[in-house]
């Protein structure tokens, strides 16, 4: 007769978190971070609908549209790199709240813009907040999620992106076509500034970060909250030495990390180029194909709704297959769907292929956000995730700028053929990433 496993007499605080089931506290963290994530997506999505309206109202050229779309991603590149570094120095929660405040206020102010110049400045500032928020939120959630379900929890966080983009598509369909509707759409974007107060007061700080900074009493209190939620008694904690020096970006390229950093940056570049090039221009491309603005927005909404089953499938497979097989599969299907979308001629084909592209592209995003924080140790987890996101933003700057010349040179077929190649690049780079399913997050 087997003997029951004795209770451990001493565990690190991160081991105490890893042994927990999914609790109400995890749900609160996931929901609180997810709302911020959805608001981020809503802002990014809204600009694609607003640009389609401003093309008529402000008589914008394709180049001006490209710059308005790209300038936000320039801000996101800066925000992601600086935000990740700050998250490792002053805390995940602090930076998360600050980013919501910055991009919420800048988006609200955009409702008053009277010309392209002012809008460009405000979109850059908005991008600063947007870029910093995503890697910081995924890092915070990843550090609290139990090992066995960490990937699934992060994919569920990323699924809030679909909620935000669907909200953007709904606002685009119902609000933007009205007189001054684009201004009201921007005004709605001020909500994140208000939500920043909730984040600052309601979400926990990372236990790993608190320990590294020597704030052990706060770390212990945070762990106890989650243990009490699970009905599990505390055990004595093994002490963790404080972090000796702040992390530096060059450490991402030290031996043992440089290969995974290079591969990760390539994946981020490819998926950013294909996703933002396709989906930010989608309403305008449909409009230029002869559909009315209302029909263009309606079809975009249908295509956007397909993101939800894509995330659900990725959340299921990422703990069954693993991170790498899931990401490779979703990127491969995205590549095929992107090429097929460029050849689509009928409404039915556009909708069907567009929904497949939407589902598998966003499922790939979910897998990527699960992988990214896992491959770096605690001291540089925020910096590593932020740097990868920042490099990816270079592609999201280039992608909107590339669409007008590609359209002129070869139409939709060439545009989406190039996006298919970008997905292919990301798929190949994924082969060089480590598989960390059921592995504990490293500390050093």
């Amino acid at each position: 007769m087997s003997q029951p496993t004795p209770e451990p007499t001493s565990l690190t605080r991160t081991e105490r978190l890893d042994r927990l089931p999914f609790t109400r506290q995890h749900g609160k963290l996931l929901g609180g971070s997810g709302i911020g994530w959805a608001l981020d997506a809503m802002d990014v999505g809204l600009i694609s609908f607003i640009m389609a309206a401003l093309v008529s109202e402000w008589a914008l050229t394709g180049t001006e549209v490209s710059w308005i779309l790209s300038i936000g991603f320039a801000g996101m590149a800066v925000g992601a790199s600086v935000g990740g570094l700050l998250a490792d120095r002053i805390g995940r929660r602090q930076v998360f709240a600050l980013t919501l405040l910055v991009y919420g206020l800048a988006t609200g102010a955009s409702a008053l813009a009277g010309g392209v110049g002012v809008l460009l400045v405000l979109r850059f500032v908005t991008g600063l907040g947007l870029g910093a928020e995503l890697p910081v939120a995924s890092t915070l959630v990843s550090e609290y999620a139990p090992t066995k379900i960490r990937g699934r929890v992060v994919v569920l966080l990323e699924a809030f992106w679909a909620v935000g983009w669907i909200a953007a598509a709904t606002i685009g369909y119902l609000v933007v076509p009205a007189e001054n509707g684009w201004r009201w759409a921007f005004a709605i974007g001020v909500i994140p500034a208000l939500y920043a107060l909730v984040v600052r007061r309601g979400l926990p700080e990372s236990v790993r970060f608190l320990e590294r900074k020597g704030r052990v009493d706060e770390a212990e209190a945070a762990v106890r909250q989650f243990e009490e939620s699970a009905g599990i008694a505390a055990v004595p904690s093994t002490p963790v030495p404080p972090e000796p020096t702040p992390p530096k970006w060059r450490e991402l390229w030290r031996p043992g990390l440089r290969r995974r950093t290079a591969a990760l940056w390539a994946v981020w570049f490819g998926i950013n180029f294909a996703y933002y090039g396709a989906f930010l221009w989608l309403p305008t491309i449909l409009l230029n194909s002869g559909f009315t603005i209302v029909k263009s927005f309606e079809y975009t909404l249908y295509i956007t709704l397909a993101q939800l089953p894509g995330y659900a499938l990725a959340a299921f497979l990422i703990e069954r297959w693993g991170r790498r097989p899931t990401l490779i599969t979703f990127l491969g299907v995205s590549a095929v769907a992107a090429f097929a979308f460029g050849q689509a001629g009928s409404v039915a084909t556009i909708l069907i292929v567009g929904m497949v592209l939407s589902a598998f592209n966003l499922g790939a995003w979910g897998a990527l956000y699960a992988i990214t924080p896992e491959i770096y140790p605690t001291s540089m987890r925020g910096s590593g995730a932020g740097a990868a996101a920042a490099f990816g933003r270079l592609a999201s700057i280039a992608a909107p700028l590339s669409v007008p010349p590609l359209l002129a040179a070869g139409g939709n077929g060439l545009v989406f053929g190039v996006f298919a190649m970008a997905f292919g690049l990301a798929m190949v780079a994924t082969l060089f990433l480590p598989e960390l399913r059921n592995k504990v997050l490293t500390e050093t």
Side-chain angles (χ1 to χ4, degrees), residues 128-424:
L128 291 175
L130 291 171
E133 190 260 325
L134 295 177
V136 172
S138 62
T139 297
L140 179 61
V141 171
S142 182
E143 290 182 331
Y144 268 102
T147 298
K148 290 184 178 180
I149 57 170
R150 185 175 61 238
R152 185 165 296 159
V153 171
V154 176
V155 174
L156 291 175
L157 170 67
E158 231 286 302
F160 279 87
W161 184 270
V163 175
W165 200 280
I166 290 168
T170 304
I171 293 167
Y173 179 55
L174 298 177
V175 177
V176 173
E179 184 178 356
N180 286 323
W182 66 271
R183 294 188 186 275
W184 286 108
F186 270 138
I188 292 171
V190 79
I191 294 173
L194 303 176
Y195 184 67
L197 299 175
V198 178
V199 171
R200 180 64 184 85
R201 296 175 62 87
L203 297 185
E205 182 54 88
S206 163
V207 170
R208 288 171 166 86
F209 168 80
L210 292 172
E211 286 187 326
R212 289 280 169 179
K213 297 301 179 183
R215 295 157 60 180
V216 293
D217 290 342
E218 294 174 68
E220 180 64 26
V223 173
R224 284 300 301 132
Q225 258 193 326
F226 280 75
E227 288 176 329
E228 289 169 3
S229 181
I232 293 177
V235 296
S237 281
T238 305
V240 174
E243 181 182 23
T245 57
K248 296 179 175 60
W249 279 316
R250 66 172 177 267
E251 293 180 22
L252 301 176
W253 298 94
R254 74 188 188 194
L257 288 181
R258 60 175 64 131
R259 172 175 165 170
R260 59 181 63 182
T261 294
L264 186 67
W265 284 24
V267 178
W268 272 88
F269 189 92
I271 198 170
N272 268 275
F273 188 90
Y275 174 72
Y276 286 109
F279 283 91
L280 285 183
W281 270 95
L282 186 58
T284 303
I285 287 174
L286 292 175
L287 191 64
N288 293 340
S289 298
F291 299 106
T292 66
I293 189 169
V294 174
K295 278 296 179 185
S296 298
F297 289 0
E298 180 184 348
Y299 295 156
T300 303
L301 175 58
Y302 295 153
I303 291 171
T304 302
L305 286 169
Q307 295 178 11
L308 291 173
Y311 281 124
L313 183 60
F316 173 76
L317 292 176
I318 200 160
E319 300 296 358
R320 282 293 181 91
W321 287 1
R323 280 72 162 133
R324 194 167 55 192
T326 301
L327 182 55
I328 288 171
T329 301
F330 276 64
L331 288 170
V333 176
S334 296
V336 173
F339 181 81
F341 190 88
Q343 312 303 315
S346 67
V347 172
T349 308
I350 288 172
L351 288 176
I352 292 170
V353 178
M355 286 190 285
V356 172
L357 174 60
S358 182
F360 281 87
N361 189 351
L362 274 296
W365 272 110
L368 180 58
Y369 269 106
I371 290 172
T372 301
E374 292 183 340
I375 71 173
Y376 294 111
T378 295
S379 62
M380 61 180 69
R381 189 165 293 125
S383 302
F391 188 76
R393 296 308 173 195
L394 298 179
S396 52
I397 295 168
L401 292 171
S402 71
V403 170
L406 288 173
L407 279 173
N412 290 349
L414 178 60
V415 170
F416 283 89
V418 171
F419 295 155
M421 292 173 61
F423 281 128

